[in-house]
Amino acid sequence: MRSRAPWLFLLVVGTLIPAGPLAWAAAPSDSVFEAPRLDLPVLERAVLRQNPSLAAMRSSWESMEARASAAGGWENPHLEGMIAPGSLGRSAVDPGWSVELTQPVPLFGPRAAMARAGRALARSSREDYRAMRLETLRMTRELYFQLYLAARSVEVQRELTGLIEQVRRVALQKYAAGTV
């Protein structure tokens, strides 16, 4: 199965190669590096914590929720003031001025519809975040077990190499003893 996130594979494998399969060099700044062996739950937490796409999606979701609560509110009122400068300081006329306050009042429920639409967008954004989080966890687990399989294959190869060397030594001893 071809991985859709080569950057995650490179992150996991690139940090493991210098220290050997499933082993980590000590780096006190992150709990992932404190264990002598790679632990899946610790790796998952580190990937979720350090993934910038997830952080951006979470911020988007939180801002959508904040906008959803304001979506059904009344529009901002408009205050307008005017002064007739020629009438100021004259005794023949009263000073000319006017102040106007306007507030749009929607009829027949568009505010409720806008609030519902805002909440629906916030839910959609939340579900997008959750889907991306689950996909990131799935890819992390898949790569973890691919790495485990590769490390286990190396161990099996070493064991087989040892067994073949042992068989070779026994064969040479039998040949030298003349029993073959």
Side-chain angles (χ1 to χ4, degrees):
M1 179 176 190
R2 188 160 172 81
S3 175
R4 288 184 260 165
W7 56 267
L8 185 60
F9 179 74
L10 292 175
L11 171 77
V12 172
V13 173
T15 54
L16 293 177
I17 287 175
L22 298 180
W24 292 88
S29 63
D30 195 341
S31 63
V32 172
F33 296 104
E34 291 175 0
R37 296 181 70 76
L38 181 60
D39 187 30
L40 181 59
V42 173
L43 177 65
E44 287 174 347
R45 284 191 300 272
V47 166
L48 291 177
R49 184 178 59 245
Q50 295 176 2
N51 188 317
S53 297
L54 280 176
M57 288 189 82
R58 184 172 183 87
S59 296
S60 172
W61 163 36
E62 290 169 351
S63 69
M64 290 287 224
E65 283 187 343
R67 278 187 255 151
S69 63
W74 285 23
E75 294 181 32
N76 292 336
H78 183 73
L79 178 65
E80 185 176 321
M82 294 185 285
I83 295 178
S87 68
L88 297 177
R90 302 227 172 151
S91 60
V93 292
D94 290 334
W97 60 273
S98 81
V99 176
E100 181 179 331
L101 177 65
T102 58
Q103 171 69 58
V105 179
L107 300 176
F108 307 112
R111 285 187 8 219
M114 289 188 297
R116 281 193 306 274
R119 286 191 300 271
L121 283 173
R123 280 192 308 272
S124 171
S125 183
R126 179 186 66 215
E127 295 307 319
D128 288 345
Y129 166 76
R130 287 181 177 173
M132 175 113 172
R133 184 179 182 279
L134 288 174
E135 179 64 14
T136 302
L137 284 173
R138 185 199 62 78
M139 287 187 298
T140 301
R141 290 171 184 157
E142 180 180 332
L143 292 172
Y144 174 85
F145 287 112
Q146 284 177 3
L147 186 62
Y148 173 78
L149 182 62
R152 187 66 185 120
S153 296
V154 168
E155 290 174 12
V156 168
Q157 184 65 32
R158 285 183 186 146
E159 288 177 23
L160 289 175
T161 303
L163 287 174
I164 290 174
E165 184 59 34
Q166 194 176 22
V167 167
R168 185 176 100 36
R169 277 195 311 269
V170 169
L172 286 174
Q173 288 173 356
K174 285 185 174 184
Y175 182 75
T179 59
V180 177

